Amino acid sequence: MIAEFENEIREAYPEGITWQKTIPTFHPESAEEAADIFRRSGKYGQKIFISGFGNNIDPVGDRFADWMVIKSDRLNDIKNIVPPDFYITVGAGYPLKEINQVIDEKNLWFPFSRSNYPGSCGGALAVGLAGNDGDHTVPLSRYLLSVTAVLPDGSIVSPGAKTFKSVSGYDISRIFFNSWGTVGLVTELTFRVLPLSKLDQSPHLALLGPDKKAFEEDIEGDSTLSEVCRRIRNEYDPGHLLQTA
Ligand SMILES: Cc1cc2nc3c(=O)[nH]c(=O)nc-3n(C[C@H](O)[C@H](O)[C@H](O)COP(=O)(O)OP(=O)(O)OC[C@H]3O[C@@H](n4cnc5c(N)ncnc54)[C@H](O)[C@@H]3O)c2cc1C
């Protein structure tokens, strides 16, 4: 990590940084804090790797020697549960499999939480989590109503606030689904949930393993989504602070 940057961060956020397996790791407690870290990183050209629980994917090896991790584990609160409108808003570091534990008493349930998935909600979106209902592949993004995210230039994208200027109208949930930390840090997600009374009639989702290879091929591809992601990266990450694949 760049020494001047480290000094600045330690002074501004004495409790914010830890060394996990020797990797400097910042734990933002809000989108605003993450935005501030991104802005400061931009000033020094500090490279950043976004992490959920870092279950299986950690930035290790020479390639990442000077990088800093931003980890979502302190963005782990339930923001809002609104039974009449069937939605829940959680921090990106909330464990996906624990959603049903908090909405069960409100007579609600969430299909992707009916599993032993070990990751965070933000990580699940970023790896493009999907399940099979016996007939079809069901992506997690089908249940995503909105996200709040911090972009590498320090801007915060959220419903009703800033949206991407260059891709206005584009469904933001699709941009972060399968983005593998290359677009920005998801800090908050709102999921559509279902009435518990329908649980018996709903097929069980068998979760599918993430396909990073497909992502790596797609990110350079000529689909509209690939083009949109490249445009966002050029506009909001001109210093290439984030990992690219
Ligand atoms: C059936 C099944 C099979 C699986 N098989 C494998 C396997 O073979 N190999 C394997 O590695 N894992 C596997 N997993 C686990 C799954 O990949 C991890 O749980 C996943 O990595 C998400 O965990 P995490 O939240 O800790 O995210 P991390 O592992 O920390 O991060 C995963 C990716 O998401 C990005 N990311 C995380 N959080 C955010 C955020 N808030 N905003 C933006 N980007 C973010 C990271 O940059 C990284 O690219 C499997 C899961 C299932 C259900």
Side-chain angles (χ1 to χ4, degrees):
M1 181 157 62
I2 296 167
E4 293 97 318
F5 172 74
E6 181 181 336
N7 292 338
E8 192 175 309
I9 296 297
R10 277 175 180 265
E11 201 171 311
Y13 300 99
E15 307 291 325
I17 192 157
T18 61
W19 270 258
Q20 306 212 331
K21 299 182 205 156
T22 75
I23 304 166
T25 303
F26 189 82
H27 309 261
E29 296 190 10
S30 65
E32 289 71 23
E33 218 172 271
D36 183 45
I37 294 297
F38 274 119
R39 276 192 293 269
R40 291 173 194 257
S41 306
K43 205 164 73 183
Y44 292 99
Q46 175 63 54
K47 298 272 188 194
I48 288 186
F49 188 96
I50 293 173
S51 170
F53 296 160
N55 270 322
N56 303 289
I57 300 150
D58 267 331
V60 286
D62 289 347
R63 186 181 151 214
F64 294 107
D66 302 324
W67 289 53
M68 182 182 79
V69 168
I70 290 191
K71 199 174 173 85
S72 71
D73 57 348
R74 292 188 193 163
L75 300 165
N76 60 352
D77 46 347
I78 300 271
K79 304 273 180 198
N80 210 358
I81 304 174
V82 185
D85 294 331
F86 296 101
Y87 73 81
I88 180 171
T89 302
V90 292
Y94 196 79
L96 185 75
K97 69 178 176 195
E98 288 182 17
I99 288 183
N100 278 341
Q101 290 171 21
V102 292
I103 62 175
D104 181 80
E105 62 179 30
K106 314 230 181 246
N107 292 318
L108 298 169
W109 74 288
F110 184 53
F112 278 90
S113 184
R114 221 169 136 211
S115 67
N116 273 326
Y117 183 75
S120 62
C121 289
L125 184 72
V127 303
L129 185 67
N132 188 290
D133 68 3
D135 291 319
H136 306 102
T137 298
V138 181
L140 177 68
S141 54
R142 185 170 298 173
Y143 290 89
L144 187 70
L145 296 176
S146 66
V147 297
T148 297
V150 182
L151 302 180
D153 70 345
S155 49
I156 298 176
V157 192
S158 64
K162 178 184 167 62
T163 50
F164 289 116
K165 286 190 293 256
S166 51
V167 289
S168 57
Y170 205 86
D171 180 357
I172 216 177
S173 65
R174 288 189 59 203
I175 290 168
F176 286 97
F177 183 75
N178 207 23
S179 63
W180 291 83
T182 62
V183 179
L185 173 75
V186 175
T187 56
E188 209 172 288
L189 306 91
T190 298
F191 290 116
R192 184 164 60 87
V193 294
L194 304 174
L196 200 53
S197 57
K198 300 267 191 239
L199 178 60
D200 288 348
Q201 300 148 38
S202 307
H204 184 76
L205 283 181
L207 296 188
L208 306 168
D211 189 355
K212 180 123 201 236
K213 224 172 164 140
F215 157 77
E216 283 163 359
E217 281 162 16
D218 188 50
I219 199 82
E220 301 302 333
D222 52 10
S223 71
T224 310
L225 186 58
S226 309
E227 167 60 23
V228 164
C229 288
R230 281 197 293 271
R231 236 189 297 156
I232 291 170
R233 287 219 304 253
N234 287 338
E235 188 169 342
Y236 296 96
D237 190 10
H240 307 292
L241 298 185
L242 290 183
Q243 68 253 45
T244 49

